[in-house]
Short mmCIF file of all heavy atoms in Angstrom, two decimals:
data_model
loop_
_atom_site.label_atom_id
_atom_site.label_comp_id
_atom_site.label_asym_id
_atom_site.label_seq_id
_atom_site.Cartn_x
_atom_site.Cartn_y
_atom_site.Cartn_z
N MET A 1 25.03 37.59 -119.48
CA MET A 1 24.21 38.15 -118.43
C MET A 1 23.58 39.47 -118.86
O MET A 1 22.48 39.79 -118.47
CB MET A 1 25.04 38.34 -117.18
CG MET A 1 25.65 37.06 -116.62
SD MET A 1 24.43 35.82 -116.26
CE MET A 1 24.19 36.11 -114.56
N THR A 2 24.32 40.22 -119.66
CA THR A 2 23.80 41.52 -120.11
C THR A 2 22.56 41.36 -120.95
O THR A 2 21.57 42.09 -120.79
CB THR A 2 24.88 42.27 -120.92
OG1 THR A 2 26.01 42.48 -120.09
CG2 THR A 2 24.37 43.61 -121.41
N LEU A 3 22.57 40.40 -121.87
CA LEU A 3 21.43 40.22 -122.78
C LEU A 3 20.15 39.87 -122.05
O LEU A 3 19.06 40.24 -122.47
CB LEU A 3 21.75 39.16 -123.83
CG LEU A 3 22.87 39.53 -124.79
CD1 LEU A 3 23.16 38.36 -125.72
CD2 LEU A 3 22.51 40.77 -125.58
N PHE A 4 20.26 39.14 -120.95
CA PHE A 4 19.08 38.76 -120.17
C PHE A 4 18.82 39.70 -119.00
O PHE A 4 17.88 39.51 -118.25
CB PHE A 4 19.25 37.33 -119.67
CG PHE A 4 19.35 36.33 -120.77
CD1 PHE A 4 20.55 35.70 -121.03
CD2 PHE A 4 18.26 36.05 -121.58
CE1 PHE A 4 20.66 34.78 -122.06
CE2 PHE A 4 18.36 35.14 -122.62
CZ PHE A 4 19.56 34.51 -122.86
N ASN A 5 19.66 40.72 -118.83
CA ASN A 5 19.55 41.68 -117.74
C ASN A 5 19.50 40.97 -116.39
O ASN A 5 18.77 41.36 -115.49
CB ASN A 5 18.35 42.61 -117.93
CG ASN A 5 18.48 43.87 -117.11
OD1 ASN A 5 19.57 44.26 -116.72
ND2 ASN A 5 17.37 44.51 -116.83
N ALA A 6 20.29 39.91 -116.27
CA ALA A 6 20.35 39.13 -115.03
C ALA A 6 21.62 39.50 -114.28
O ALA A 6 22.54 38.70 -114.14
CB ALA A 6 20.30 37.65 -115.35
N ARG A 7 21.70 40.72 -113.82
CA ARG A 7 22.88 41.20 -113.13
C ARG A 7 22.47 41.85 -111.84
O ARG A 7 21.33 42.25 -111.66
CB ARG A 7 23.62 42.22 -114.02
CG ARG A 7 24.12 41.58 -115.29
CD ARG A 7 24.46 42.61 -116.33
NE ARG A 7 23.25 43.38 -116.61
CZ ARG A 7 23.26 44.67 -116.85
NH1 ARG A 7 24.36 45.35 -116.87
NH2 ARG A 7 22.14 45.32 -117.09
N LEU A 8 23.41 41.93 -110.93
CA LEU A 8 23.14 42.54 -109.63
C LEU A 8 23.86 43.88 -109.57
O LEU A 8 25.08 43.93 -109.47
CB LEU A 8 23.64 41.64 -108.50
CG LEU A 8 23.02 40.24 -108.47
CD1 LEU A 8 23.73 39.39 -107.45
CD2 LEU A 8 21.54 40.34 -108.18
N GLY A 9 23.14 44.95 -109.66
CA GLY A 9 23.74 46.27 -109.63
C GLY A 9 22.75 47.29 -110.15
O GLY A 9 21.57 47.00 -110.33
N ALA A 10 23.25 48.49 -110.41
CA ALA A 10 22.37 49.56 -110.87
C ALA A 10 23.14 50.54 -111.73
O ALA A 10 24.34 50.77 -111.53
CB ALA A 10 21.79 50.30 -109.67
N TRP A 11 22.46 51.11 -112.71
CA TRP A 11 23.03 52.18 -113.51
C TRP A 11 22.82 53.49 -112.76
O TRP A 11 21.69 53.83 -112.39
CB TRP A 11 22.33 52.26 -114.87
CG TRP A 11 22.74 51.17 -115.80
CD1 TRP A 11 22.06 50.01 -116.05
CD2 TRP A 11 23.91 51.12 -116.60
NE1 TRP A 11 22.74 49.25 -116.94
CE2 TRP A 11 23.89 49.91 -117.31
CE3 TRP A 11 24.99 51.98 -116.78
CZ2 TRP A 11 24.89 49.55 -118.19
CZ3 TRP A 11 25.98 51.61 -117.66
CH2 TRP A 11 25.94 50.42 -118.35
N LEU A 12 23.89 54.21 -112.52
CA LEU A 12 23.82 55.48 -111.81
C LEU A 12 24.53 56.55 -112.62
O LEU A 12 25.40 56.25 -113.43
CB LEU A 12 24.49 55.37 -110.44
CG LEU A 12 23.89 54.35 -109.48
CD1 LEU A 12 24.75 54.23 -108.24
CD2 LEU A 12 22.48 54.74 -109.12
N GLY A 13 24.16 57.80 -112.38
CA GLY A 13 24.83 58.89 -113.06
C GLY A 13 26.30 58.93 -112.70
O GLY A 13 26.68 58.72 -111.54
N ASN A 14 27.13 59.17 -113.68
CA ASN A 14 28.57 59.22 -113.47
C ASN A 14 28.92 60.41 -112.57
O ASN A 14 28.56 61.54 -112.87
CB ASN A 14 29.26 59.35 -114.83
CG ASN A 14 30.76 59.22 -114.76
OD1 ASN A 14 31.36 59.36 -113.72
ND2 ASN A 14 31.36 58.94 -115.90
N PRO A 15 29.63 60.18 -111.45
CA PRO A 15 29.97 61.29 -110.57
C PRO A 15 31.12 62.16 -111.10
O PRO A 15 31.42 63.20 -110.55
CB PRO A 15 30.39 60.59 -109.27
CG PRO A 15 30.88 59.27 -109.71
CD PRO A 15 30.05 58.90 -110.92
N GLY A 16 31.74 61.74 -112.18
CA GLY A 16 32.84 62.49 -112.77
C GLY A 16 32.35 63.56 -113.74
O GLY A 16 31.15 63.80 -113.88
N PRO A 17 33.27 64.20 -114.43
CA PRO A 17 32.92 65.27 -115.37
C PRO A 17 31.95 64.82 -116.47
O PRO A 17 31.12 65.60 -116.92
CB PRO A 17 34.26 65.68 -115.98
CG PRO A 17 35.29 65.21 -115.03
CD PRO A 17 34.72 64.01 -114.34
N ALA A 18 32.03 63.56 -116.89
CA ALA A 18 31.16 63.07 -117.97
C ALA A 18 29.69 63.03 -117.55
O ALA A 18 28.79 63.08 -118.38
CB ALA A 18 31.60 61.69 -118.41
N GLY A 19 29.43 62.95 -116.26
CA GLY A 19 28.05 62.87 -115.78
C GLY A 19 27.57 64.14 -115.11
O GLY A 19 26.71 64.08 -114.23
N SER A 20 28.08 65.27 -115.52
CA SER A 20 27.71 66.52 -114.86
C SER A 20 26.20 66.80 -114.90
O SER A 20 25.68 67.48 -114.02
CB SER A 20 28.46 67.69 -115.49
OG SER A 20 28.11 67.83 -116.86
N LYS A 21 25.49 66.23 -115.88
CA LYS A 21 24.04 66.44 -115.98
C LYS A 21 23.24 65.24 -115.48
O LYS A 21 22.02 65.30 -115.40
CB LYS A 21 23.65 66.72 -117.43
CG LYS A 21 24.27 67.99 -117.97
CD LYS A 21 23.89 68.21 -119.41
CE LYS A 21 24.58 69.46 -119.94
NZ LYS A 21 24.33 69.66 -121.36
N THR A 22 23.92 64.14 -115.16
CA THR A 22 23.19 62.92 -114.81
C THR A 22 23.44 62.40 -113.41
O THR A 22 22.72 61.52 -112.95
CB THR A 22 23.56 61.79 -115.79
OG1 THR A 22 24.96 61.53 -115.69
CG2 THR A 22 23.19 62.14 -117.21
N TRP A 23 24.43 62.90 -112.70
CA TRP A 23 24.79 62.28 -111.42
C TRP A 23 23.71 62.39 -110.36
O TRP A 23 23.67 61.59 -109.43
CB TRP A 23 26.12 62.81 -110.91
CG TRP A 23 26.09 64.22 -110.44
CD1 TRP A 23 26.27 65.34 -111.19
CD2 TRP A 23 25.85 64.67 -109.10
NE1 TRP A 23 26.15 66.46 -110.41
CE2 TRP A 23 25.89 66.07 -109.11
CE3 TRP A 23 25.60 64.02 -107.91
CZ2 TRP A 23 25.70 66.83 -107.98
CZ3 TRP A 23 25.41 64.78 -106.78
CH2 TRP A 23 25.47 66.17 -106.82
N GLU A 24 22.80 63.34 -110.48
CA GLU A 24 21.72 63.47 -109.49
C GLU A 24 20.49 62.65 -109.86
O GLU A 24 19.59 62.50 -109.05
CB GLU A 24 21.33 64.93 -109.33
CG GLU A 24 22.41 65.76 -108.64
CD GLU A 24 21.98 67.19 -108.43
OE1 GLU A 24 21.26 67.73 -109.29
OE2 GLU A 24 22.37 67.77 -107.41
N LYS A 25 20.43 62.12 -111.07
CA LYS A 25 19.27 61.35 -111.52
C LYS A 25 19.36 59.92 -110.98
O LYS A 25 20.44 59.40 -110.76
CB LYS A 25 19.20 61.34 -113.04
CG LYS A 25 18.96 62.71 -113.62
CD LYS A 25 18.85 62.65 -115.12
CE LYS A 25 18.60 64.04 -115.69
NZ LYS A 25 18.47 64.01 -117.15
N PRO A 26 18.22 59.26 -110.79
CA PRO A 26 18.24 57.90 -110.26
C PRO A 26 18.74 56.86 -111.26
O PRO A 26 19.07 55.75 -110.88
CB PRO A 26 16.78 57.64 -109.88
CG PRO A 26 15.99 58.57 -110.72
CD PRO A 26 16.86 59.78 -110.93
N GLY A 27 18.78 57.19 -112.53
CA GLY A 27 19.24 56.25 -113.55
C GLY A 27 18.80 56.73 -114.92
O GLY A 27 18.10 57.73 -115.05
N PRO A 28 19.21 56.02 -115.97
CA PRO A 28 18.81 56.43 -117.31
C PRO A 28 17.31 56.26 -117.51
O PRO A 28 16.68 55.41 -116.90
CB PRO A 28 19.59 55.49 -118.23
CG PRO A 28 20.19 54.45 -117.38
CD PRO A 28 20.08 54.88 -115.96
N SER A 29 16.73 57.10 -118.37
CA SER A 29 15.29 57.01 -118.61
C SER A 29 14.93 55.75 -119.41
O SER A 29 13.84 55.24 -119.30
CB SER A 29 14.80 58.26 -119.35
OG SER A 29 15.50 58.42 -120.56
N SER A 30 15.87 55.24 -120.19
CA SER A 30 15.67 54.01 -120.95
C SER A 30 16.92 53.15 -120.81
O SER A 30 18.04 53.64 -120.97
CB SER A 30 15.41 54.32 -122.43
OG SER A 30 15.39 53.12 -123.17
N ALA A 31 16.75 51.88 -120.55
CA ALA A 31 17.89 51.00 -120.36
C ALA A 31 18.45 50.46 -121.66
O ALA A 31 19.54 49.90 -121.67
CB ALA A 31 17.48 49.82 -119.47
N ILE A 32 17.76 50.64 -122.75
CA ILE A 32 18.18 50.05 -124.02
C ILE A 32 19.57 50.55 -124.45
O ILE A 32 20.44 49.77 -124.80
CB ILE A 32 17.13 50.31 -125.12
CG1 ILE A 32 15.86 49.55 -124.78
CG2 ILE A 32 17.66 49.89 -126.49
CD1 ILE A 32 14.70 49.84 -125.68
N GLY A 33 19.77 51.85 -124.41
CA GLY A 33 21.07 52.40 -124.80
C GLY A 33 22.20 51.89 -123.92
O GLY A 33 23.26 51.51 -124.43
N SER A 34 21.98 51.86 -122.63
CA SER A 34 23.01 51.39 -121.69
C SER A 34 23.30 49.91 -121.90
O SER A 34 24.46 49.49 -121.87
CB SER A 34 22.56 51.63 -120.26
OG SER A 34 22.36 53.01 -120.02
N LEU A 35 22.27 49.12 -122.12
CA LEU A 35 22.48 47.69 -122.33
C LEU A 35 23.21 47.42 -123.63
O LEU A 35 24.08 46.54 -123.69
CB LEU A 35 21.14 46.95 -122.31
CG LEU A 35 20.47 46.82 -120.95
CD1 LEU A 35 19.10 46.19 -121.08
CD2 LEU A 35 21.33 46.01 -120.02
N LEU A 36 22.90 48.16 -124.69
CA LEU A 36 23.60 47.98 -125.96
C LEU A 36 25.07 48.36 -125.83
O LEU A 36 25.95 47.65 -126.34
CB LEU A 36 22.94 48.79 -127.06
CG LEU A 36 21.61 48.26 -127.58
CD1 LEU A 36 20.99 49.22 -128.59
CD2 LEU A 36 21.79 46.88 -128.19
N LYS A 37 25.35 49.46 -125.15
CA LYS A 37 26.74 49.86 -124.95
C LYS A 37 27.51 48.81 -124.16
O LYS A 37 28.65 48.49 -124.47
CB LYS A 37 26.81 51.20 -124.22
CG LYS A 37 26.43 52.38 -125.07
CD LYS A 37 26.52 53.66 -124.28
CE LYS A 37 26.08 54.85 -125.10
NZ LYS A 37 26.12 56.11 -124.33
N GLU A 38 26.88 48.26 -123.13
CA GLU A 38 27.55 47.25 -122.32
C GLU A 38 27.75 45.95 -123.12
O GLU A 38 28.78 45.31 -123.02
CB GLU A 38 26.75 46.96 -121.05
CG GLU A 38 27.47 46.02 -120.12
CD GLU A 38 26.71 45.75 -118.85
OE1 GLU A 38 25.57 46.22 -118.70
OE2 GLU A 38 27.27 45.05 -118.00
N THR A 39 26.76 45.58 -123.91
CA THR A 39 26.85 44.37 -124.71
C THR A 39 28.05 44.41 -125.66
O THR A 39 28.75 43.41 -125.84
CB THR A 39 25.56 44.16 -125.52
OG1 THR A 39 24.46 44.05 -124.61
CG2 THR A 39 25.63 42.90 -126.36
N PHE A 40 28.29 45.55 -126.27
CA PHE A 40 29.37 45.66 -127.25
C PHE A 40 30.66 46.23 -126.66
O PHE A 40 31.58 46.57 -127.39
CB PHE A 40 28.89 46.52 -128.42
CG PHE A 40 27.79 45.86 -129.20
CD1 PHE A 40 26.51 46.36 -129.14
CD2 PHE A 40 28.02 44.73 -129.96
CE1 PHE A 40 25.48 45.75 -129.83
CE2 PHE A 40 27.01 44.11 -130.66
CZ PHE A 40 25.73 44.61 -130.60
N GLY A 41 30.74 46.31 -125.33
CA GLY A 41 31.96 46.75 -124.66
C GLY A 41 32.28 48.22 -124.87
O GLY A 41 33.45 48.59 -124.92
N LEU A 42 31.28 49.05 -124.98
CA LEU A 42 31.48 50.48 -125.23
C LEU A 42 31.33 51.33 -123.98
O LEU A 42 31.17 52.53 -124.07
CB LEU A 42 30.50 50.95 -126.31
CG LEU A 42 30.59 50.21 -127.65
CD1 LEU A 42 29.48 50.66 -128.57
CD2 LEU A 42 31.94 50.41 -128.27
N THR A 43 31.37 50.70 -122.80
CA THR A 43 31.22 51.46 -121.56
C THR A 43 32.60 51.75 -120.96
O THR A 43 33.49 50.91 -120.99
CB THR A 43 30.38 50.69 -120.54
OG1 THR A 43 30.98 49.43 -120.29
CG2 THR A 43 28.97 50.48 -121.04
N ASN A 44 32.75 52.95 -120.45
CA ASN A 44 33.96 53.33 -119.74
C ASN A 44 33.65 54.52 -118.85
O ASN A 44 32.48 54.88 -118.68
CB ASN A 44 35.10 53.63 -120.72
CG ASN A 44 34.75 54.71 -121.70
OD1 ASN A 44 33.97 55.61 -121.41
ND2 ASN A 44 35.33 54.64 -122.89
N ASP A 45 34.66 55.15 -118.29
CA ASP A 45 34.43 56.23 -117.34
C ASP A 45 34.04 57.55 -118.01
O ASP A 45 33.82 58.54 -117.31
CB ASP A 45 35.65 56.44 -116.46
CG ASP A 45 36.89 56.83 -117.24
OD1 ASP A 45 36.90 56.64 -118.47
OD2 ASP A 45 37.84 57.31 -116.61
N THR A 46 33.92 57.58 -119.33
CA THR A 46 33.52 58.81 -120.01
C THR A 46 32.04 58.80 -120.40
O THR A 46 31.57 59.73 -121.04
CB THR A 46 34.37 59.05 -121.27
OG1 THR A 46 34.18 57.96 -122.17
CG2 THR A 46 35.83 59.19 -120.91
N ASN A 47 31.30 57.75 -120.01
CA ASN A 47 29.85 57.68 -120.28
C ASN A 47 29.08 58.49 -119.25
O ASN A 47 29.54 58.68 -118.12
CB ASN A 47 29.37 56.24 -120.25
CG ASN A 47 29.90 55.43 -121.42
OD1 ASN A 47 30.31 55.98 -122.43
ND2 ASN A 47 29.90 54.13 -121.26
N GLU A 48 27.88 58.91 -119.62
CA GLU A 48 27.04 59.67 -118.69
C GLU A 48 26.60 58.82 -117.50
O GLU A 48 26.41 59.33 -116.41
CB GLU A 48 25.81 60.21 -119.41
CG GLU A 48 26.11 61.31 -120.40
CD GLU A 48 24.85 61.84 -121.04
OE1 GLU A 48 23.87 61.08 -121.16
OE2 GLU A 48 24.85 63.01 -121.42
N TYR A 49 26.42 57.51 -117.73
CA TYR A 49 26.00 56.60 -116.66
C TYR A 49 27.04 55.50 -116.49
O TYR A 49 27.68 55.08 -117.46
CB TYR A 49 24.64 55.97 -116.99
CG TYR A 49 23.51 56.97 -116.92
CD1 TYR A 49 23.06 57.63 -118.05
CD2 TYR A 49 22.89 57.26 -115.71
CE1 TYR A 49 22.04 58.56 -117.98
CE2 TYR A 49 21.87 58.18 -115.63
CZ TYR A 49 21.45 58.82 -116.77
OH TYR A 49 20.43 59.74 -116.68
N VAL A 50 27.20 55.04 -115.27
CA VAL A 50 28.11 53.94 -114.97
C VAL A 50 27.31 52.85 -114.26
O VAL A 50 26.32 53.11 -113.59
CB VAL A 50 29.30 54.39 -114.09
CG1 VAL A 50 30.20 55.32 -114.86
CG2 VAL A 50 28.83 55.04 -112.81
N TYR A 51 27.77 51.59 -114.42
CA TYR A 51 27.09 50.46 -113.78
C TYR A 51 27.82 50.14 -112.48
O TYR A 51 29.00 49.81 -112.48
CB TYR A 51 27.10 49.25 -114.71
CG TYR A 51 26.22 48.14 -114.21
CD1 TYR A 51 24.84 48.24 -114.26
CD2 TYR A 51 26.77 46.99 -113.67
CE1 TYR A 51 24.03 47.23 -113.80
CE2 TYR A 51 25.97 45.98 -113.21
CZ TYR A 51 24.61 46.10 -113.27
OH TYR A 51 23.81 45.11 -112.80
N LEU A 52 27.12 50.25 -111.38
CA LEU A 52 27.70 50.01 -110.06
C LEU A 52 27.25 48.65 -109.54
O LEU A 52 26.06 48.36 -109.49
CB LEU A 52 27.26 51.11 -109.08
CG LEU A 52 27.79 50.99 -107.67
CD1 LEU A 52 29.29 51.14 -107.66
CD2 LEU A 52 27.15 52.03 -106.78
N SER A 53 28.22 47.83 -109.17
CA SER A 53 27.94 46.49 -108.67
C SER A 53 28.91 46.19 -107.53
O SER A 53 30.03 46.70 -107.51
CB SER A 53 28.12 45.48 -109.80
OG SER A 53 28.08 44.17 -109.31
N ASP A 54 28.52 45.32 -106.62
CA ASP A 54 29.43 44.97 -105.53
C ASP A 54 30.44 43.91 -105.95
O ASP A 54 31.39 43.63 -105.25
CB ASP A 54 28.66 44.52 -104.29
CG ASP A 54 27.99 43.16 -104.46
OD1 ASP A 54 27.97 42.64 -105.58
OD2 ASP A 54 27.49 42.64 -103.46
N GLY A 55 30.26 43.30 -107.11
CA GLY A 55 31.20 42.32 -107.62
C GLY A 55 31.06 40.94 -107.02
O GLY A 55 31.77 40.02 -107.41
N GLY A 56 30.17 40.74 -106.09
CA GLY A 56 30.00 39.45 -105.44
C GLY A 56 29.57 38.34 -106.39
O GLY A 56 29.85 37.17 -106.14
N HIS A 57 28.94 38.68 -107.48
CA HIS A 57 28.53 37.65 -108.44
C HIS A 57 29.67 37.27 -109.36
O HIS A 57 29.58 36.30 -110.08
CB HIS A 57 27.31 38.13 -109.23
CG HIS A 57 27.46 39.48 -109.83
ND1 HIS A 57 27.39 40.63 -109.07
CD2 HIS A 57 27.70 39.88 -111.09
CE1 HIS A 57 27.57 41.67 -109.87
NE2 HIS A 57 27.76 41.25 -111.09
N PHE A 58 30.77 38.01 -109.35
CA PHE A 58 31.95 37.63 -110.13
C PHE A 58 32.89 36.77 -109.30
O PHE A 58 33.44 35.81 -109.76
CB PHE A 58 32.70 38.88 -110.63
CG PHE A 58 31.95 39.64 -111.65
CD1 PHE A 58 31.43 40.89 -111.34
CD2 PHE A 58 31.72 39.11 -112.90
CE1 PHE A 58 30.74 41.61 -112.28
CE2 PHE A 58 31.02 39.82 -113.85
CZ PHE A 58 30.52 41.07 -113.54
N GLU A 59 33.12 37.17 -108.07
CA GLU A 59 34.00 36.41 -107.19
C GLU A 59 33.32 36.30 -105.84
O GLU A 59 33.11 37.28 -105.14
CB GLU A 59 35.34 37.13 -107.02
CG GLU A 59 36.27 36.39 -106.11
CD GLU A 59 37.56 37.11 -105.85
OE1 GLU A 59 37.97 37.92 -106.69
OE2 GLU A 59 38.11 36.89 -104.77
N ASN A 60 32.98 35.10 -105.47
CA ASN A 60 32.27 34.88 -104.23
C ASN A 60 33.08 33.92 -103.36
O ASN A 60 32.59 32.88 -102.94
CB ASN A 60 30.88 34.33 -104.52
CG ASN A 60 29.85 34.88 -103.57
OD1 ASN A 60 30.19 35.63 -102.67
ND2 ASN A 60 28.61 34.51 -103.77
N LEU A 61 34.34 34.24 -103.10
CA LEU A 61 35.23 33.36 -102.37
C LEU A 61 35.31 33.68 -100.87
O LEU A 61 36.07 33.06 -100.16
CB LEU A 61 36.64 33.43 -102.97
CG LEU A 61 36.74 33.00 -104.44
CD1 LEU A 61 38.16 33.20 -104.93
CD2 LEU A 61 36.31 31.57 -104.61
N ALA A 62 34.54 34.65 -100.44
CA ALA A 62 34.59 35.02 -99.02
C ALA A 62 34.13 33.86 -98.15
O ALA A 62 33.25 33.09 -98.52
CB ALA A 62 33.71 36.23 -98.78
N THR A 63 34.77 33.73 -97.02
CA THR A 63 34.40 32.65 -96.10
C THR A 63 33.73 33.26 -94.87
O THR A 63 34.03 34.38 -94.47
CB THR A 63 35.63 31.84 -95.68
OG1 THR A 63 36.55 32.71 -95.04
CG2 THR A 63 36.28 31.17 -96.87
N THR A 64 32.87 32.52 -94.28
CA THR A 64 32.21 32.97 -93.05
C THR A 64 32.57 32.00 -91.93
O THR A 64 32.81 30.81 -92.17
CB THR A 64 30.69 33.02 -93.22
OG1 THR A 64 30.22 31.72 -93.59
CG2 THR A 64 30.31 34.02 -94.29
N LYS A 65 32.60 32.51 -90.75
CA LYS A 65 32.93 31.65 -89.59
C LYS A 65 31.79 31.65 -88.62
O LYS A 65 31.02 32.48 -88.47
CB LYS A 65 34.19 32.15 -88.91
CG LYS A 65 35.37 31.97 -89.79
CD LYS A 65 36.62 32.40 -89.06
CE LYS A 65 37.82 32.19 -89.97
NZ LYS A 65 39.05 32.35 -89.31
#
């Protein structure tokens, strides 16, 4: 999904210490670096940007009545 950028979510500035310069920005200026880091599993809570998703595309077992 990462290679085709077919994901539901957004890259946002990290609200922790690692994102002290990015948390107010709407997102990275270029997605290439973020996508490469995610592709090779190099993302964690120490990156300037984090990927926020509701997780519904991973587990969609909720039932409605």
Side-chain angles (χ1 to χ4, degrees):
M1 299 303 264
T2 299
L3 295 176
F4 298 110
N5 199 22
R7 297 163 301 143
L8 301 172
W11 285 99
L12 299 174
N14 188 341
S20 62
K21 297 179 182 175
T22 60
W23 70 273
E24 290 183 326
K25 296 182 180 181
S29 57
S30 173
I32 294 173
S34 299
L35 288 175
L36 286 175
K37 287 180 183 178
E38 185 179 5
T39 300
F40 294 109
L42 303 173
T43 58
N44 58 29
D45 62 344
T46 61
N47 291 340
E48 290 182 332
Y49 290 95
V50 293
Y51 190 73
L52 180 64
S53 171
D54 71 351
H57 50 285
F58 292 111
E59 179 184 334
N60 217 357
L61 300 176
T63 59
T64 58
K65 293 183 179 190

